[in-house]
Amino acid sequence: MIGLVYNEMLKMVRKKRLWVILGILVILIPIFTYAQAQTLERAAKQIGTSDWKVVLKQQIIDQQNRLTSSRLPEEWKAFIKLNIQQQEYYLKNNIDPTAPGAPTFMRKFVEESVSLFLPLLVVIIAADLVSSELSSGTIKLLLTRPVRRWKVLLSKYISLLFATSFIVLSTAILSYLLSGVVFGYGGWDLPVLSGFQEKNGALLTEFVHLMPQWKYLLMAYGLSWLACITVATVSFMVSVLVRSTASGMGIMLAAIISGNLLMQLSPTWGAIKYFAFTQLRLTDYLSGRPILIEGMTLPLSIGVLGAWSVVALITAFVSFSRRDVLA
Amino acid sequence: MNQTAPVLEVKKLSKQIGKRKIVEDITFEVQKGEIFGFLGPNGAGKTTTIRMLVGLIRPTEGMIQIGGYPLQDQFIEAISQVGCIVENPELYPYLTGRENLEHFARMMTGVTDEWIHEIIRLVELEERIDELVKTYSLGMRQRLGIAQALLGSPKILILDEPTNGLDPAGIRELRAFIRKLVHEQGISVFISSHILHEIQLMCDRVAIINKGKIVYTGPVRELVHEEETRIEWRLDPLQSGVQVLKELSFVRPVEQTEEHLYVYMPLDRIAEVNEQLTAKQIKVTGIRPVQATLEDLFLQLTGGETKS
Amino acid sequence: MHSNHRMRWISIFVVAIASFSILLIGSIMSLIELFRPQASNLQTPASQKTASPTSPTIGRIVSLGDSLTRGIGDDSGKGYIQLFREQLQKSSKSEVSLINLSVSGATSTDLRKQISQPETSNLLKSAEIIPLTIGGNDLFRGSGRLENTDPATVEKARLTYQENVDFILKEIRKQNSKATIFMFGLYNPFGDLSEAKQTNEFVAKWNETAQQVIAKYDRVVFIPTYDLFQLDPKRYLFTDHFHPNQNGYQRMANRLTQLVIDQEGMETK
């Protein structure tokens, strides 16, 4: 089995698709970094001073002022208090939150790319995995060996999981290394707010707490990895079912993009919850960003993603081991 | 016939896709050390049969036994006896020749580095083996394809149209190589082709398939009457010439067009026929021996009923 | 060839398994975290100590007060304070910074509370110019609806106002003896209504009060606004008929800039 997995990984490496993905990252991350730096600069200009300490103190005082207002609901007060703590930490440790360092960029990057960018990268690898063997005819050499078909497919799936992990981790590492040139490489210990919960449209802050950014990053990338694995698994099924790599990729692109669109266009239509590609934004549960779709919870998201993965895997394996190779 | 069990045994094999019967009731055996030809026009069901032999397609009915193991029930044991090229040898162009071989070697047990080395030497690819396959010529790919088929030291080699796309020199080379293999390694070879001539040159025995059914199985020698050759006659006037030829006992007319008459007859009696024609005032404008085609063979085997 | 081969095996698998495991750990951690939320871990008062002065010269303008200093009513959101900063910046080579500590809706009592907070006093220490608007909310909101203004209530509010302004100025001076304080006076947003006479009277009285208090302190300048909007309130007031609009703020800023630039040249260095 190890030999089979090695075969698949060797092919993946030699086919250069992985390198293309790394190339895409190396080109795009500096662009995103530049965009982010521009945004921060513009924000600093609006405030009218380049001294971030002044800005921060001002923000703290603004928020303290808001706290004194009696009209504020209690849960918001707790939230503001946490925000103040976070900002005071910045001041105390001499961390400029507007030039926050590469780890903060990594965090923002994964939160933004989890529903579209990362899945697309994964699709590049996954959609090609089986269909390329079908369309090039090498499947015939692969399946006339003394190895059961399900083992051949399993080795491909395992190597796909490895490749997905590699892509997600490379995204993390490259976004760190490349954005650090602009933002600096510090900021692993920065406290990040997490633990927001939503109940009946209200934001619950009782579980909100601060955690060091490195831990948050590990978890955020872990969650995006889960989302990517679902994408990889579904693409894998498509790759088994569709002979042409191009159409497989097209199908997956359409699915992922429509998932994103549905999320924006009709968040009140409950049925879209059960479409895997509307559930990719797992990191929102960590960051506390309001969930767009009504009634979405973490167990539901995980359940939907898991169910899609299992069904896709079963379909892929059954189809692959039963099917006649006519090509 | 033979004391030893056949290396490949196919019984009542059928494949139906939808309502269409692609292959029906196919039965044949391949003995040890034998080069077995599988002859048929394109679309006769050759490739479907071969794909069933190597487990790519499930038969609807029938049984395949390789080296004594039933393919359907003991796939691993059965397929271990087989090395095959189905259609073109599609290898991974982005890997080197050696990497391709190592790739497939990892899918089997007991393939040593020494054996890989030996095979590379056997197919004479030593010089280019560490170059990417995409730089290879078709002939080299074909040889690499054979190399990968030999990796598992198979008892039987299944080659689907192995000469497809090769130039005459390549075909000759391949033919010599297959003979050498059978001679040195003692393995059986199963070759499919749509060219009668090729089968005649390479094979010991042949099964002929047409429209999904076997129409003939037997030694290649008996297939075409060696003492007879197909001769093309150009005569003037053609009609009276045909009359003359038909009266001769040793001449068997097979086909007639507006200008030619094709007959089977012994080559050494052409002069005699020519004399008789000239004597009856019929001008002979051309005499030419031609190679028998698969079409002719079908005509011969079925008495013309397959001609459509 | 062989060791090369082994190296490739090892490196491919190490990279693959390492990335897989790291992300697996991350995802498990996050699932544990999200499924079993822990209670807030940082509600400790430790943060209160941290507001220590960091650099001696943070900001030259520190503004205090209510919605006027916030810029409410200005479509561009700048308010007199930003306009002022921009004008000042034009005539200054060095960076003019602004810390705006105003709170919309603040009364003099609110400002009194705010001024006692350590964060505020820290920031005040470094200020060079302290613009200030206060009292509008005391007079027009604190004293109830205008239609039935009770002179007694207004008078009570005025006394509180007087006391608060005194306290505020004293506190600022305690933190910073050098900065110039510019206190804007009140204007009458209802100058064109029927009760104008009464409200005018109140405004005049309150402005007088403010000036009296100011007189006790050095380097505190009273900037009248009463005259700015009195004649044509529609032109200078926002549609809420209470806050100035952009034009109004521009007039306020002009006044302030003029005063600051006329001062002994410290702003034009």
Side-chain angles (χ1 to χ4, degrees):
Chain A
M1 197 67 205
I2 289 177
L4 294 184
V5 175
Y6 176 73
N7 273 349
E8 295 307 324
M9 292 205 286
L10 180 70
K11 281 187 271 183
M12 233 181 241
V13 171
R14 295 299 293 275
K15 230 190 289 181
K16 306 219 164 66
R17 274 177 188 253
L18 271 179
W19 308 121
V20 168
I21 287 172
L22 292 187
I24 292 174
L25 286 172
V26 167
I27 292 167
L28 288 182
I29 287 173
I31 295 175
F32 295 144
T33 305
Y34 180 76
Q36 176 79 3
Q38 286 293 307
T39 313
L40 291 173
E41 204 172 285
R42 218 173 302 127
K45 244 181 212 154
Q46 255 165 17
I47 294 163
T49 171
S50 58
D51 188 347
W52 59 268
K53 283 185 182 166
V54 173
V55 177
L56 209 54
K57 281 202 170 179
Q58 162 123 40
Q59 281 173 353
I60 292 172
I61 283 159
D62 280 353
Q63 300 208 38
Q64 278 171 341
N65 288 337
R66 284 179 68 196
L67 274 183
T68 58
S69 163
S70 54
R71 285 166 299 177
L72 213 59
E74 273 310 307
E75 58 264 34
W76 274 106
K77 280 190 178 168
F79 172 58
I80 290 170
K81 272 181 194 155
L82 278 162
N83 253 329
I84 293 173
Q85 282 179 31
Q86 194 182 17
Q87 285 166 333
E88 278 172 344
Y89 177 94
Y90 295 147
L91 263 187
K92 188 168 73 180
N93 295 287
N94 216 8
I95 299 160
D96 181 357
T98 56
T104 306
F105 177 82
M106 281 169 80
R107 176 163 58 87
K108 288 196 172 146
F109 189 67
V110 73
E111 282 167 6
E112 291 306 324
S113 58
V114 65
S115 66
L116 194 59
F117 185 65
L118 280 178
L120 293 190
L121 293 185
V122 169
V123 166
I124 293 178
I125 287 276
D128 159 83
L129 211 55
V130 180
S131 62
S132 71
E133 304 258 12
L134 284 170
S135 55
S136 76
T138 44
I139 190 80
K140 291 176 289 188
L141 292 178
L142 218 51
L143 296 186
T144 53
R145 304 290 145 185
V147 179
R148 292 267 171 208
R149 283 192 186 184
W150 66 264
K151 272 193 180 176
V152 174
L153 197 64
L154 184 61
S155 70
K156 279 190 177 290
Y157 186 64
I158 289 174
S159 65
L160 175 61
L161 292 185
F162 283 147
T164 307
S165 315
F166 178 72
I167 292 171
V168 174
L169 202 67
S170 304
T171 308
I173 292 170
L174 285 175
S175 59
Y176 177 68
L177 292 179
L178 295 174
S179 70
V181 174
V182 177
F183 298 129
Y185 291 101
W188 288 106
D189 289 335
L190 212 68
V192 179
L193 284 173
S194 178
F196 295 93
Q197 289 187 336
E198 215 188 45
K199 209 168 226 171
N200 306 327
L203 193 69
L204 293 186
T205 51
E206 57 180 315
F207 297 119
V208 172
H209 56 279
L210 294 171
M211 66 169 88
Q213 183 150 256
W214 63 265
K215 194 175 162 195
Y216 185 97
L217 277 173
L218 188 60
M219 302 201 313
Y221 275 89
L223 283 177
S224 67
W225 178 72
L226 286 182
C228 285
I229 281 183
T230 306
V231 173
T233 309
V234 176
S235 320
F236 187 67
M237 174 192 73
V238 171
S239 182
V240 168
L241 298 179
V242 179
R243 253 180 73 93
S244 136
T245 303
S247 31
M249 232 179 250
I251 290 169
M252 284 310 296
L253 287 191
I256 291 169
I257 290 171
S258 48
N260 278 273
L261 280 179
L262 281 176
M263 213 157 55
Q264 306 288 338
L265 292 178
S266 53
T268 47
W269 179 26
I272 67 167
K273 288 199 289 276
Y274 304 104
F275 181 47
F277 300 117
T278 58
Q279 298 280 10
L280 297 175
R281 300 199 61 96
L282 288 179
T283 49
D284 285 355
Y285 294 109
L286 207 57
S287 67
R289 189 199 294 242
I291 310 289
L292 279 170
I293 302 174
E294 259 177 40
M296 223 151 86
T297 59
L298 179 73
L300 181 72
S301 290
I302 298 283
V304 168
L305 293 178
W308 274 71
S309 301
V310 168
V311 170
L313 265 189
I314 291 174
T315 312
F317 274 89
V318 168
S319 156
F320 190 75
S321 36
R322 293 227 177 129
R323 178 176 45 193
D324 287 344
V325 182
L326 297 167
Chain B
M1 287 201 302
N2 240 327
Q3 256 94 25
T4 53
V7 178
L8 173 65
E9 196 180 353
V10 174
K11 265 188 204 157
K12 294 189 175 297
L13 200 62
S14 297
K15 177 70 186 179
Q16 191 169 354
I17 295 180
K19 281 185 180 168
R20 212 161 67 89
K21 282 197 168 171
I22 295 175
V23 166
E24 214 180 332
D25 205 16
I26 286 189
T27 302
F28 61 82
E29 288 174 359
V30 178
Q31 304 298 332
K32 190 174 183 303
E34 180 179 49
I35 304 182
F36 189 88
F38 192 50
L39 186 61
N42 288 327
K46 286 193 309 275
T47 297
T48 305
T49 310
I50 287 194
R51 281 174 190 245
M52 286 194 279
L53 295 185
V54 295
L56 290 174
I57 297 182
R58 269 161 208 270
T60 317
E61 260 175 81
M63 183 217 63
I64 300 164
Q65 260 193 348
I66 303 170
Y69 297 103
L71 185 71
Q72 286 97 319
D73 301 335
Q74 285 172 279
F75 176 77
I76 303 293
E77 289 83 355
I79 205 74
S80 301
Q81 323 280 325
V82 179
C84 67
I85 305 179
V86 180
E87 285 173 317
N88 305 316
E90 283 113 347
L91 294 136
Y92 299 104
Y94 46 84
L95 298 180
T96 67
R98 190 190 300 279
E99 280 169 338
N100 265 291
L101 293 182
E102 286 169 347
H103 171 275
F104 294 115
R106 276 190 285 271
M107 301 187 76
M108 329 175 172
T109 45
V111 183
T112 61
D113 282 354
E114 289 72 30
W115 176 233
I116 294 180
H117 198 76
E118 173 74 17
I119 290 174
I120 294 170
R121 200 190 47 75
L122 205 66
V123 297
E124 293 163 7
L125 275 173
E126 294 106 316
E127 279 176 31
R128 303 281 304 273
I129 195 67
D130 287 315
E131 288 174 34
L132 293 182
V133 168
K134 62 176 154 217
T135 67
Y136 284 18
S137 69
L138 195 66
M140 291 169 70
R141 286 182 200 204
Q142 192 70 264
R143 274 184 280 157
L144 188 62
I146 291 172
Q148 66 77 26
L150 290 174
L151 272 177
S153 318
K155 288 195 178 132
I156 180 163
L157 207 55
I158 296 179
L159 307 174
D160 187 12
E161 304 270 5
T163 57
N164 251 7
L166 289 183
D167 56 12
I171 294 174
R172 228 173 296 131
E173 202 180 303
L174 181 77
R175 213 179 286 142
F177 181 73
I178 288 171
R179 287 202 185 286
K180 187 169 103 180
L181 266 183
V182 173
H183 189 72
E184 287 179 7
Q185 315 280 338
I187 63 180
S188 313
V189 181
F190 177 95
I191 294 180
S192 81
S193 179
H194 64 280
I195 304 161
L196 174 64
H197 180 64
E198 211 168 70
I199 296 290
Q200 277 179 299
L201 284 172
M202 258 191 284
C203 301
D204 306 318
R205 283 198 315 133
V206 68
I208 299 178
I209 184 173
N210 191 36
K211 293 186 176 170
K213 288 180 185 165
I214 297 280
V215 291
Y216 173 84
T217 316
V220 173
R221 262 174 286 108
E222 293 166 17
L223 201 58
V224 182
H225 308 281
E226 277 184 350
E227 64 273 23
E228 286 183 337
T229 311
R230 187 180 162 94
I231 309 285
E232 176 194 292
W233 290 94
R234 275 170 181 263
L235 304 170
D236 186 28
L238 188 63
Q239 240 4 79
S240 30
V242 170
Q243 288 306 315
V244 176
L245 284 177
K246 274 187 178 167
E247 282 160 23
L248 298 170
S249 60
F250 52 88
V251 173
R252 211 153 45 82
V254 275
E255 204 182 342
Q256 188 181 344
T257 68
E258 290 195 358
E259 294 161 40
H260 318 107
L261 176 69
Y262 293 96
V263 300
Y264 276 105
M265 58 174 285
L267 206 56
D268 50 4
R269 298 180 82 164
I270 285 181
E272 188 185 321
V273 175
N274 195 18
E275 262 173 42
Q276 290 202 24
L277 286 166
T278 323
K280 291 193 173 157
Q281 311 294 321
I282 295 164
K283 280 183 208 155
V284 178
T285 54
I287 312 171
R288 193 164 64 99
V290 282
Q291 231 161 44
T293 64
L294 195 53
E295 298 260 293
D296 303 332
L297 189 62
F298 284 140
L299 280 176
Q300 192 183 320
L301 286 168
T302 58
E305 72 185 49
T306 52
K307 195 170 187 324
S308 46
Chain C
M1 187 70 212
H2 247 252
S3 62
N4 207 338
H5 218 99
R6 177 149 302 169
M7 276 309 293
R8 197 159 72 174
W9 265 79
I10 291 171
S11 50
I12 285 184
F13 271 104
V14 165
V15 169
I17 292 172
S19 23
F20 185 86
S21 328
I22 290 172
L23 292 165
L24 183 67
I25 290 168
S27 61
I28 290 172
M29 271 172 67
S30 56
L31 291 185
I32 292 173
E33 169 88 20
L34 290 172
F35 276 113
R36 316 166 124 206
Q38 19 179 306
S40 288
N41 59 352
L42 276 173
Q43 297 286 19
T44 55
S47 57
Q48 294 304 320
K49 303 172 207 154
T50 56
S52 56
T54 39
S55 64
T57 51
I58 40 167
R60 296 177 56 190
I61 310 171
V62 175
S63 58
L64 296 167
D66 50 26
S67 52
L68 294 188
T69 308
R70 265 280 154 233
I72 306 291
D74 183 351
D75 294 329
S76 69
K78 288 179 177 171
Y80 81 89
I81 196 71
Q82 288 287 353
L83 294 166
F84 164 64
R85 191 188 74 81
E86 284 169 11
Q87 286 174 353
L88 198 58
Q89 182 69 68
K90 270 182 214 153
S91 57
S92 170
K93 279 174 198 135
S94 56
E95 179 82 14
V96 176
S97 73
L98 165 68
I99 306 177
N100 191 347
L101 300 183
S102 61
V103 179
S104 193
T107 62
S108 61
T109 312
D110 293 326
L111 181 56
R112 183 183 173 142
K113 275 185 211 152
Q114 187 192 353
I115 209 104
S116 329
Q117 288 168 350
E119 290 80 15
T120 315
S121 49
N122 272 323
L123 289 166
L124 285 172
K125 279 183 183 126
S126 58
E128 285 169 291
I129 302 164
I130 305 176
L132 166 64
T133 59
I134 200 71
N137 293 314
D138 299 50
L139 174 54
F140 296 113
R141 295 208 168 146
S143 46
R145 292 176 62 93
L146 212 69
E147 297 88 83
N148 40 23
T149 324
D150 170 21
T153 325
V154 176
E155 181 58 15
K156 209 172 145 204
R158 189 187 64 85
L159 290 174
T160 317
Y161 172 67
Q162 185 173 19
E163 199 185 313
N164 284 341
V165 171
D166 192 34
F167 179 88
I168 291 161
L169 292 177
K170 201 197 296 165
E171 196 63 28
I172 296 175
R173 270 292 160 260
K174 216 197 280 172
Q175 303 297 338
N176 188 329
S177 55
K178 284 182 195 149
T180 318
I181 302 167
F182 294 93
M183 181 167 172
F184 282 96
L186 303 176
Y187 58 89
N188 185 4
F190 310 109
D192 54 348
L193 299 181
S194 52
E195 304 89 347
K197 219 169 209 156
Q198 199 191 11
T199 44
N200 280 343
E201 213 171 281
F202 288 144
V203 170
K205 189 93 183 275
W206 284 54
N207 278 337
E208 196 187 312
T209 307
Q211 272 171 297
Q212 276 169 7
V213 177
I214 284 168
K216 295 201 286 180
Y217 297 93
D218 285 338
R219 301 188 63 79
V220 182
V221 182
F222 182 82
I223 307 177
T225 54
Y226 183 81
D227 51 338
L228 289 179
F229 312 127
Q230 191 66 11
L231 288 178
D232 195 355
K234 280 211 177 90
R235 192 162 159 206
Y236 296 110
L237 293 187
F238 185 57
T239 49
D240 68 356
H241 226 289
F242 189 73
H243 294 102
N245 61 16
Q246 198 168 359
N247 295 331
Y249 279 124
Q250 186 64 54
R251 290 191 130 193
M252 287 173 74
N254 290 347
R255 244 176 212 188
L256 182 56
T257 312
Q258 202 177 14
L259 285 170
V260 170
I261 292 182
D262 282 355
Q263 272 198 337
E264 55 225 82
M266 77 169 216
E267 283 76 27
T268 45
K269 61 191 162 189

